[in-house]
Amino acid sequence: MGNAARQIKRRREKEQRYNTSRKPNWSKEKKTRIAVICGIVGLVVLLFLMFWTPAGTVKTWFGKPMFVSDNSILVKNHDYYYSLGTYTLPDGYTQDKDYSVVKDPNRFELKAVPNKEDNSLGYFYLTPIASPNLDAIHSSFKGMYEDVSEMQEMNILGKEAQWFSYSYPADQTTPSEYVRNICIYIPAAHECDLLLSLYSKKTAQDALPTEEQMLAQVDIILSGLKFQ
């Protein structure tokens, strides 16, 4: 055997001894512990990825918001849920629990009717609006109805809310009956507004309550509102 062949053989034997010395000689119990630890770490990473959301958002579990109260004002904006605050219905009104017009079952909405007949309202509706374009909304109402007021401002809970009103026939079968509606948009957090929509009872057009009479109910209705 030549010198070159002997050198190659010695180098291979040296590499084999080195690799053998590096191979860990773990017991079955140690391998099991390592497998369990790796599984736990993997689960933690998976749960983190599942539950991570930007700061200020509401955590969800398979699309269902978690850790929020039943009266939280939830809204979805930019693919995440936010809580704008809480709302408690004040005395003098009863919630219509069968009424719903939003497609998202997790979004907050509430329709309530006054308990007393002498109230100027037929009912009110409260729901958050994500990233509203108020100019476009107002213009769309002007395109649908003739009697639409200009956009106006009022102070609500220290916020500059915007509102407009309009009246319209209650339905086609009884064109002599009208309804007045006042839409109030209250600025909230996370690029959202809270819409308070006031509706009068059906009545003759000249017997509709005035804007002032209907707006007089706002403070009572919003007495249970707490923004975050």
Side-chain angles (χ1 to χ4, degrees):
M1 181 182 295
N3 289 333
R6 285 195 294 271
Q7 290 177 358
I8 292 174
K9 182 179 180 181
R10 284 196 297 269
R11 184 162 56 249
R12 287 178 177 173
E13 290 175 350
K14 184 177 180 180
E15 290 175 353
Q16 185 176 5
R17 289 194 301 272
Y18 177 74
N19 291 334
T20 301
S21 64
R22 290 189 64 193
K23 184 177 180 180
N25 187 19
W26 292 343
S27 65
K28 183 178 180 180
E29 291 77 9
K30 187 172 183 180
K31 291 179 181 179
T32 301
R33 288 198 300 270
I34 292 175
V36 170
I37 292 172
C38 291
I40 293 173
V41 171
L43 179 60
V44 170
V45 173
L46 178 61
L47 291 175
F48 174 80
L49 294 175
M50 290 178 63
F51 285 102
W52 182 88
T53 56
T57 60
V58 173
K59 306 297 182 183
T60 59
W61 175 256
F62 293 102
K64 181 69 174 178
M66 304 188 311
F67 314 123
V68 291
S69 60
D70 292 337
N71 64 341
S72 291
I73 304 173
L74 288 183
V75 62
K76 194 172 188 179
N77 198 14
H78 304 305
D79 297 325
Y80 294 102
Y81 281 104
Y82 295 89
S83 175
L84 305 183
T86 58
Y87 180 74
T88 302
L89 188 66
D91 294 337
Y93 285 89
T94 300
Q95 181 178 356
D96 183 352
K97 296 184 178 180
D98 295 327
Y99 184 86
S100 178
V101 295
V102 301
K103 296 180 180 180
D104 183 353
N106 299 316
R107 175 176 150 189
F108 176 89
E109 65 171 342
L110 183 145
K111 175 187 176 182
V113 298
N115 297 336
K116 294 183 178 181
E117 287 293 330
D118 59 354
N119 195 301
S120 61
L121 302 183
Y123 68 93
F124 75 84
Y125 178 72
L126 191 67
T127 192
I129 306 293
S131 302
N133 185 332
L134 298 188
D135 290 335
I137 293 173
H138 187 228
S139 295
S140 68
F141 274 85
K142 279 192 166 184
M144 292 185 294
Y145 303 100
E146 296 180 359
D147 182 26
V148 180
S149 74
E150 293 303 316
M151 189 74 80
Q152 302 178 64
E153 292 186 354
M154 65 183 301
N155 187 286
I156 296 179
L157 300 177
K159 300 176 181 291
E160 289 301 318
Q162 299 187 67
W163 66 275
F164 65 90
S165 71
Y166 65 99
S167 59
Y168 58 94
D171 55 65
Q172 295 180 349
T173 58
T174 55
S176 61
E177 289 187 329
Y178 277 72
V179 171
R180 186 185 301 283
N181 178 206
I182 300 180
C183 300
I184 307 171
Y185 296 86
I186 310 167
H190 310 297
E191 302 176 22
C192 299
D193 279 9
L194 184 63
L195 169 62
L196 172 60
S197 197
L198 310 175
Y199 293 85
S200 71
K201 299 181 182 70
K202 298 178 183 179
T203 186
Q205 188 173 16
D206 58 3
L208 286 171
T210 65
E211 294 173 342
E212 290 74 15
Q213 288 173 324
M214 295 176 65
L215 291 173
Q217 300 298 316
V218 169
D219 287 344
I220 298 173
I221 292 172
L222 297 183
S223 62
L225 171 63
K226 293 183 179 179
F227 279 124
Q228 285 190 342

